[in-house]
């Protein structure tokens, strides 16, 4: 899995003949899983049209600092915030000069000043311009400011000269860009997380469900994204906002969650079952609303739902599989029994007898159980706990390889 998966790359294109390669670069970045928005300087538009870049990137191309329409929608500050990386390819001598002096006289330099994201330049220019003392002094300033410089390559140039100043090829740029994102503990890994409750319909207006809010699962999704994973959330019905950088699949029933999980788990590295899945569903769905009859009681016949996490753990290419165990008594015994019965790598035991942790609370306290050990994690916010759990899963996953 590419470490560029889910990354948001702002590609700046400045005015050099190598701008034609930027079109290919957009495609290659997308192939690696990144979203790409393009900003072009006026000079870049002399070499390649914004329409080409718009068609390739799937986003409108940004060209002007003082464009009232753009400022109302996605202004330079929003673009600066959107980017996980500002990648400028090609970067001309003029652009390097302006950037090194902290100028903000066009959209691209303003974004560079405003962004908190890393910036990478891919210089492209005539060899004499590259070797010029002014360009080299500007380069030193940019390197001092921790701006990444990719290339340039040495060789034949469009003008007939031979020497340093050729822009790197798109695949070389992709390799260097990927390296910038390989720091997270789950970089390059695919993580699938189930969250929330399932609902099992009785009739058109009634269902069987539970009190899961989805908070624990969604916090794990956020932590997995922060750790650099390509993250898939399979969620039952919740009131929570969907995390921006995950692939989100909405389901209602256990059977739907089962189908989505088995599909997504085929090529995943880590599967986390935080959902509270209904173990049983009504054998039949009444086509019309059930009417209150004369009888003092009615009988609902239930049938077992498929066990999602156990089925994932039974896959031929089994991911590292983590289950949760919500228990109101004999926490460790019952959780350990689930670890064994479902063939899990880890189980996170939740004591739901205490009402300030577990279902629908903002905090949780758990016990992490594997074949050989039992580690307690005391009460803390679900967000903080999720980060610690993800770090623990990443470490165990790495030690398995
Ligand atoms: O959503 P919140 O409000 O934040 O609450 C979090 C939580 C308490 C729901 C969560 O942390 C939790 O404990 N989830 C699992 C609850 C549960 O259903 O446990 P269980 O003991 O019934 O199931 C054991 C494991 O098997 C779980 O990983 C469950 O997702 C999985 N399972 C269960 C049944 C089934 N048919 N398929 C499954 O995959």
């Amino acid at each position: 899995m590419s470490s560029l998966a889910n990354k948001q790359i702002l590609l700046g294109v400045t005015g050099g003949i190598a701008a034609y390669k930027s079109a290919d670069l957009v495609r290659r970045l997308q192939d690696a899983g990144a979203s790409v928005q393009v900003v072009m300087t006026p000079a870049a538009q002399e070499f390649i049209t914004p329409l080409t870049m718009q068609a390739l990137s799937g986003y409108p191309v940004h060209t002007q600092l003082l464009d009232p329409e753009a400022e109302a929608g996605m202004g330079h500050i929003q673009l600066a915030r959107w980017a996980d990386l500002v990648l400028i390819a090609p970067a001309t001598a003029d652009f390097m000069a302006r950037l090194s002096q902290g100028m903000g006289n066009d959209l691209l330099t303003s974004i560079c000043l405003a962004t908190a994201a890393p910036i990478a330049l891919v210089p492209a220019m005539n060899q004499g311009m590259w070797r010029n003392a002014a360009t080299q002094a500007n380069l030193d300033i940019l390197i001092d400011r921790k701006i990444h410089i990719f290339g340039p390559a040495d060789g034949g140039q469009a003008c007939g000269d031979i020497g340093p100043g050729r822009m790197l090829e798109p695949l070389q740029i992709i390799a260097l860009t990927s390296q910038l994102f390989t720091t997270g503990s789950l970089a390059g890994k695919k993580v699938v997380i189930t969250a929330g409750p399932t609902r099992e319909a009785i009739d058109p207006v009634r269902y069987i469900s539970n009190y899961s809010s989805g908070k624990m699962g969604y916090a794990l999704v956020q932590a997995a994204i922060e750790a650099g994973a390509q993250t898939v959330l399979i969620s039952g019905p919740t009131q929570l906002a969907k995390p921006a950088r995950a692939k989100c699949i909405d389901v209602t029933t256990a059977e739907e969650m089962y189908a989505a999980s088995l599909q997504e788990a085929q090529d995943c590295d880590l599967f986390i079952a935080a959902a509270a899945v209904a173990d049983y569903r009504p054998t039949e769905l009444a086509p019309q609303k059930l009417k209150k009859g004369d009888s003092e009681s009615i009988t609902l016949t239930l049938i077992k739902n498929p066990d999602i996490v156990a089925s994932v753990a039974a896959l031929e290419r089994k991911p590292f599989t983590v289950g949760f165990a919500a228990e109101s008594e004999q926490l460790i015994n019952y959780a350990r029994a689930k670890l064994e019965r479902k063939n899990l790598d880890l189980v996170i035991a939740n004591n739901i007898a205490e009402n300030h942790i577990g279902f629908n609370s903002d905090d949780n306290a758990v016990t992490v159980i594997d074949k050989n050990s039992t580690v307690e994690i005391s009460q803390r916010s679900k967000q903080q706990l999720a980060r610690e759990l993800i770090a623990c899963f990443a470490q165990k996953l790495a030690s398995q390889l």
Side-chain angles (χ1 to χ4, degrees):
M1 201 59 61
S2 161
S3 63
L4 291 177
N6 295 326
K7 294 296 178 296
Q8 300 184 157
I9 311 282
L10 192 82
L11 177 64
V13 184
T14 70
I17 182 62
Y20 77 93
K21 291 188 191 173
S22 307
D24 186 28
L25 183 57
V26 172
R27 269 273 185 267
R28 304 276 181 179
L29 287 165
Q30 288 171 329
D31 288 348
S35 300
V36 185
Q37 291 207 57
V38 178
V39 173
M40 298 177 79
T41 63
Q45 296 165 58
E46 302 289 331
F47 290 91
I48 183 166
T49 68
L51 197 59
T52 304
M53 300 306 258
Q54 176 171 328
L56 289 170
S57 67
Y59 285 100
V61 169
H62 310 276
T63 55
Q64 289 180 45
L65 180 58
L66 300 174
D67 175 354
E69 219 173 89
E71 286 299 312
M74 179 72 97
H76 66 284
I77 299 298
Q78 282 160 293
L79 283 168
R81 288 189 187 135
W82 178 86
D84 291 320
L85 171 72
V86 179
L87 174 66
I88 296 151
T92 59
D94 173 71
F95 184 79
M96 288 175 66
R98 289 189 290 122
L99 188 62
S100 68
Q101 298 312 305
M103 293 179 74
N105 57 344
D106 65 7
L107 178 59
L108 191 52
T109 47
S110 300
I111 289 170
C112 289
L113 285 176
T115 193
I119 300 173
L121 297 190
V122 193
M125 64 197 74
N126 165 269
Q127 55 82 26
M129 294 170 81
W130 175 253
R131 288 189 167 117
N132 188 288
T135 305
Q136 290 300 307
N138 293 333
L139 179 67
D140 289 344
I141 294 173
L142 295 172
I143 291 171
D144 270 357
R145 294 202 188 127
K146 309 275 180 272
I147 289 178
H148 303 275
I149 310 289
F150 299 164
D154 223 299
Q157 302 201 302
C159 58
D161 280 5
I162 295 177
R166 276 172 62 95
M167 186 165 101
L168 296 184
E169 295 303 321
L171 284 178
Q172 294 173 300
I173 299 170
I174 294 289
L176 291 163
T177 306
S178 303
Q179 282 173 18
L180 298 179
F181 290 107
T182 50
T183 49
S185 58
L186 287 175
K189 302 283 184 234
K190 176 176 172 182
V191 177
V192 178
I193 299 173
T194 67
T198 64
R199 281 184 189 165
E200 313 298 328
I202 298 169
D203 68 12
V205 294
R206 302 181 180 94
Y207 54 80
I208 299 171
S209 192
N210 58 67
Y211 292 113
S212 169
S213 62
K215 288 177 190 169
M216 190 67 242
Y218 278 53
L220 285 161
V221 168
Q222 198 51 47
I225 293 168
E226 284 167 17
Q230 181 206 348
T231 309
V232 180
L233 165 65
I234 300 172
S235 176
T238 75
Q239 301 297 316
L240 304 176
K242 291 285 178 307
R245 309 241 185 119
K247 174 177 173 184
C248 298
I249 302 174
D250 286 324
V251 296
T252 304
T253 65
E255 285 184 303
E256 288 169 5
M257 188 174 274
Y258 172 81
S261 298
L262 269 282
Q263 171 78 27
E264 289 294 335
Q266 299 292 338
D267 61 348
C268 89
D269 301 284
L270 171 59
F271 185 88
I272 307 171
V277 185
D279 287 323
Y280 292 88
R281 67 179 185 280
T283 323
E284 280 171 31
L285 166 63
Q288 305 299 334
K289 183 182 168 196
L290 293 175
K291 290 287 175 207
K292 187 161 67 175
D294 293 336
S295 164
E296 285 305 308
S297 64
I298 60 165
T299 303
L300 204 56
T301 309
L302 304 178
I303 184 171
K304 222 177 201 167
N305 271 324
D307 194 309
I308 300 166
V309 74
S311 306
V312 168
L315 285 174
E316 199 176 325
R317 186 190 173 282
K318 179 193 172 188
F320 190 89
T321 309
V322 180
F324 273 70
E327 308 293 349
S328 54
E329 56 175 339
Q330 296 199 47
L331 181 67
I332 306 299
N333 285 346
Y334 285 169
R336 193 170 282 289
K338 277 181 185 155
L339 178 86
E340 284 159 19
R341 193 171 66 245
K342 299 187 186 215
N343 189 27
L344 306 177
D345 295 295
L346 272 183
V347 73
I348 311 301
N350 246 314
N351 184 351
I352 53 165
E354 296 182 40
N355 61 11
H356 54 286
I357 56 172
F359 281 92
N360 200 19
S361 56
D362 289 332
D363 285 3
N364 209 355
V366 298
T367 308
V368 180
I369 301 171
D370 69 9
K371 249 190 232 141
N372 310 312
S373 65
T374 299
V375 178
E376 278 187 37
I377 305 183
S378 60
Q379 186 176 338
R380 59 205 64 195
S381 74
K382 283 183 176 167
Q383 283 75 16
Q384 197 184 338
L385 175 66
R387 281 193 284 271
E388 289 170 44
L389 288 175
I390 286 290
C392 158
F393 304 159
Q395 199 184 19
K396 290 193 184 280
L397 183 59
S399 65
Q400 247 198 358
L401 300 174

